[in-house]
Amino acid sequence: MTDSVGQNVLKELLGLLSLEKIEEDIFRGQSQDLGYGNVFGGQVLGQALSAASRTVPDHLCAHSLHGYFLRAGDAACPIVYMVERTRDGHSFTTRRVKAVQKGRTIFSMSASFHKFEEGFHHQDPMPDVKGPDGVESDYNMIVRYARNIPEDIVKKLLYPNPIELRVVNPVNPFHPVPMPPDKYVWFRATGPLPDDAATHRYMLAYASDFHLVPTALYPHAKTFWSPDMQVASLDHAIWFHRDFRMDDWLLHVIHSPNAAMGRGLNHGSIYTRDGKLVASVAQEGLIRRVEKDKV
């Protein structure tokens, strides 16, 4: 992907996440089709956080969000985000966001914002993982496996991605073998971004949804592409610990501690390349086995 193409798709994503204000505390966002059949969960996360951020003072930054995916979104239709000003405090401010499409709520989220203050510091160390240089990108992996994917879906998957993703320990998506429930993903925006912290936070919210749920399938030799699996995000939480830049490499360290009753839990720790823990993520996803005759 050339630099100019990368800049164009990144500009498109920034526009997608910036939203249109249509009334006080009500915003509208367009949708994109990434080839998953429905709206990508990261898009709704990023847009919802963007909407909430538009209603708080600039000196407050998001420090946590908790969201539930209630219905599948239609990638062909825009989404309306309605923000409730739950509390405006001196140190902390909270917002609730409802995402509505075709008159129905498809996603709900609570987000908390915090002013900067000094405090104690400690963190888990970043694991010793191969750096992004020389690791195959998701784009190149799709090219290698394109013959196994329907042509119409391949065209969408090969559309330039504004977020570059490189999995250190990938699984063959069409011939998986059992692996430990751990995944390491380097990611970054494909070009420079504005300096405001809110942009980097809602961009990270967008990118954090990639690769989470499939990690719970690693031990079971199944993938998102397995024809007998129904895979979807159910809920998502993020805690922002330190400032970061989405246009520098970040490492998402993902671990799935549990799978049961058709659901898989995934924990994520996101580090800068020099080892600072900047965010933590948790997500439970649907990993339901579908009967062969119903696939």
Side-chain angles (χ1 to χ4, degrees):
M1 182 167 61
T2 65
D3 289 343
S4 60
V5 173
Q7 283 295 304
N8 287 337
V9 295
L10 183 57
K11 185 177 180 180
E12 289 176 8
L13 178 58
L14 287 171
L16 190 79
L17 298 180
S18 295
L19 306 181
E20 171 195 2
K21 184 175 181 179
I22 58 177
E23 183 52 87
E24 193 66 26
D25 298 341
I26 302 177
F27 306 87
R28 179 164 50 215
Q30 300 304 311
S31 297
Q32 62 178 182
D33 187 351
L34 296 184
Y36 300 119
N38 300 310
V39 172
F40 171 52
Q43 174 201 309
V44 185
L45 281 164
Q47 288 180 328
L49 183 57
S50 175
S53 300
R54 295 272 293 274
T55 69
V56 302
D58 291 341
H59 72 280
L60 299 177
C61 286
H63 77 88
S64 68
L65 65 84
H66 301 260
Y68 282 91
F69 299 97
L70 305 175
R71 295 180 175 89
D74 186 345
C77 297
I79 303 172
V80 172
Y81 295 88
M82 307 173 70
V83 181
E84 174 190 316
R85 299 182 181 233
T86 310
R87 178 179 183 270
D88 290 299
H90 177 66
S91 298
F92 291 90
T93 288
T94 53
R95 296 289 185 262
R96 290 179 60 85
V97 183
K98 183 168 64 172
V100 179
Q101 193 177 57
K102 300 179 181 178
R104 301 197 303 173
T105 301
I106 64 169
F107 176 78
S108 67
M109 183 188 80
S110 294
S112 182
F113 298 78
H114 183 208
K115 72 174 185 179
F116 175 81
E117 60 180 270
E118 294 290 350
F120 298 110
H121 290 270
H122 77 268
Q123 67 162 74
D124 284 343
M126 184 171 74
D128 185 12
V129 173
K130 181 180 180 180
D133 298 333
V135 176
E136 183 181 40
S137 68
D138 272 17
Y139 182 92
N140 288 341
M141 185 192 71
I142 293 167
V143 171
R144 282 200 296 116
Y145 293 115
R147 66 183 181 278
N148 301 107
I149 307 172
E151 184 177 353
D152 58 331
I153 296 178
V154 167
K155 289 180 179 178
K156 294 172 183 176
L157 294 177
L158 291 181
Y159 185 80
N161 194 333
I163 306 297
E164 184 175 3
L165 299 144
R166 300 184 181 186
V167 181
V168 176
N169 58 331
V171 63
N172 184 320
F174 300 101
H175 299 285
V177 296
M179 294 175 62
D182 298 284
K183 186 184 292 187
Y184 307 100
V185 185
W186 288 100
F187 67 98
R188 67 175 176 183
T190 55
L193 294 171
D195 289 334
D196 66 291
T199 298
H200 292 265
R201 278 165 166 74
Y202 61 65
M203 285 283 287
L204 185 140
Y206 173 90
S208 69
D209 195 38
F210 287 113
H211 288 290
L212 269 172
V213 177
T215 304
L217 295 172
Y218 263 32
H220 311 288
K222 295 291 183 181
T223 74
F224 177 85
W225 296 102
S226 298
D228 61 341
M229 295 300 303
Q230 181 183 5
V231 182
S233 303
L234 296 174
D235 59 5
H236 198 107
I238 304 175
W239 295 264
F240 299 101
H241 309 308
R242 296 170 177 84
D243 286 338
F244 59 92
R245 294 195 64 89
M246 269 291 298
D247 44 14
D248 287 338
W249 283 112
L250 298 170
L251 176 67
H252 199 171
V253 178
I254 306 171
H255 172 68
S256 177
N258 182 75
M261 299 183 69
R263 306 188 309 271
L265 179 65
N266 302 277
H267 293 160
S269 299
I270 298 177
Y271 294 86
T272 60
R273 195 167 183 173
D274 59 359
K276 293 178 182 176
L277 179 63
V278 297
S280 296
V281 180
Q283 184 186 81
E284 191 170 48
L286 179 69
I287 49 172
R288 175 185 289 155
R289 192 189 298 272
V290 182
E291 295 179 26
K292 297 270 186 187
D293 59 349
K294 295 182 180 179
V295 176

